Amino acid sequence: MATKKKAAKKSGAKKATKKKTVKKAAKKAAPKKKRTPNAAFMKPMQPDESLAAVVGSGMLPRTEITKKLWQYIKRNGLQDAKVRRNINADEKLLKVFGGKKQVSMFEMTKLVNKHIK
């Protein structure tokens, strides 16, 4: 009779493990909506004289001003060699950066916004 109890216990344990291994059905993800561009970034802005010396005097959206600024930085090799997120200012950028010789790329956008109308 003891062997029957052990067998009953084993079969009960197997049933319990089967319940644990049952996988839940995966939920289908809703299709992602396309992002709409922020109109504030696309609005043409007028750079002042010191910034116009770097990016040009025409009206540009802020995104294009940032792109042209990076083109100028890379073309003139102004990105710091050791700390890549820092930008070393030349004569033109010194005016834009408010007299600072070196700024971080995050601080750069803040300083550039002061020169845009």
Side-chain angles (χ1 to χ4, degrees), residues 11-113:
S11 64
K14 287 182 182 177
K15 288 180 183 176
T17 57
K18 286 182 182 178
K19 289 180 183 176
K20 290 179 184 177
T21 58
V22 175
K23 294 182 180 179
K24 294 181 182 179
K27 294 181 182 179
K28 292 184 178 180
K32 292 185 177 181
K33 296 178 183 176
K34 288 189 175 183
R35 285 181 43 187
T36 55
N38 189 344
F41 285 120
M42 303 312 285
K43 181 182 174 186
M45 307 289 276
Q46 181 64 47
D48 70 354
E49 296 162 9
S50 57
L51 185 59
V54 179
V55 298
S57 59
M59 292 185 73
L60 295 167
R62 279 192 274 174
T63 53
E64 289 297 316
I65 290 173
T66 304
K67 285 180 186 177
K68 288 192 179 247
L69 197 59
W70 272 108
Q71 287 174 352
Y72 179 82
I73 290 166
K74 290 187 178 188
R75 185 174 50 233
N76 295 314
L78 300 175
Q79 196 170 6
D80 193 57
K82 291 182 182 176
V83 184
R84 302 284 296 167
R85 71 173 167 251
N86 288 345
I87 290 103
N88 301 318
D90 63 352
E91 290 179 22
K92 290 181 182 178
L93 286 180
L94 207 58
K95 295 174 187 174
V96 176
F97 295 162
K100 292 186 178 182
K101 291 184 179 180
Q102 189 177 54
V103 296
S104 72
M105 61 177 66
F106 307 109
E107 189 180 3
M108 177 187 73
T109 55
K110 178 181 158 187
L111 294 170
V112 166
N113 281 335

